Amino acid sequence: MTARWTLSGSGRRDTQEWDELRTLTDGWTVAWADVAGFHFTRMPAGLPQTTHLWAWAPGSYLRVRVDGRHWWAALLTEGEEQPVGEWSTESCDTVEVVPMLHWPVGERRVKQFRQAEGSQNVLHVHDLYQLTPMSGPATGVFIGHEPLGTD
């Protein structure tokens, strides 16, 4: 049986609305990189100094684009549609899911990697997935490492 997917979008939001994402992702794994290093932890208290942030929990995958004091988020959910505030939603029949490896095991050329607090084991995570919803003319990549749900 093919899973049903829903793609939701926040539209442009401001720094003051960041708590909306913190509430949505309570207990999720969150990943982003900034000048302090690579973070692999929970949603930060405020808008981080980064360009992209990914968060995931079983059956839910969030991609956030950050630009200065603004952010845009897309949420990909597997299974029944989950309404998210004032976000727009659409069904997505096909999602391409592929395993990914952020860098090869034992790779020693990774010299600029700096582990931020809470990310000590990120180099040893080898069960990451890349999810690409096939909806409309544009796609966005989502990342997660929780097992994919089943229908």
Side-chain angles (χ1 to χ4, degrees):
M1 180 180 206
T2 304
R4 178 176 181 215
W5 295 87
T6 301
L7 188 58
S8 303
S10 68
R12 181 178 162 168
R13 301 296 169 99
D14 293 322
T15 304
Q16 297 84 354
E17 298 171 279
W18 187 253
D19 279 345
E20 180 179 351
L21 285 185
R22 291 192 70 210
T23 301
L24 174 68
T25 61
D26 185 37
W28 294 23
T29 302
V30 182
W32 76 95
D34 62 18
V35 296
F38 187 85
H39 302 266
F40 199 66
T41 184
R42 300 290 183 227
M43 188 62 76
L47 191 68
Q49 295 289 317
T50 190
T51 59
H52 286 85
L53 176 145
W54 293 269
W56 55 88
S60 297
Y61 307 89
L62 182 76
R63 171 191 171 98
V64 180
R65 170 75 172 113
V66 178
D67 188 4
R69 297 178 39 84
H70 301 100
W71 57 270
W72 294 257
L75 176 66
L76 181 64
T77 54
E78 184 179 18
E80 293 300 314
E81 182 177 325
Q82 300 292 325
V84 184
E86 300 284 320
W87 294 26
S88 61
T89 62
E90 67 178 66
S91 291
C92 186
D93 296 328
T94 307
V95 172
E96 181 180 291
V97 181
V98 296
M100 62 177 271
L101 184 61
H102 38 94
W103 38 74
V105 176
E107 181 61 62
R108 299 197 183 276
R109 292 181 296 161
V110 181
K111 298 188 186 311
Q112 294 180 333
F113 177 78
R114 183 186 325 169
Q115 294 173 331
E117 185 177 338
S119 65
Q120 288 75 13
N121 295 317
V122 71
L123 292 177
H124 305 290
V125 174
H126 301 296
D127 58 347
L128 290 172
Y129 292 91
Q130 175 178 301
L131 297 92
T132 307
M134 304 303 184
S135 176
T139 61
V141 173
F142 294 79
I143 297 173
H145 80 86
E146 298 292 336
L148 296 174
T150 57
D151 274 304

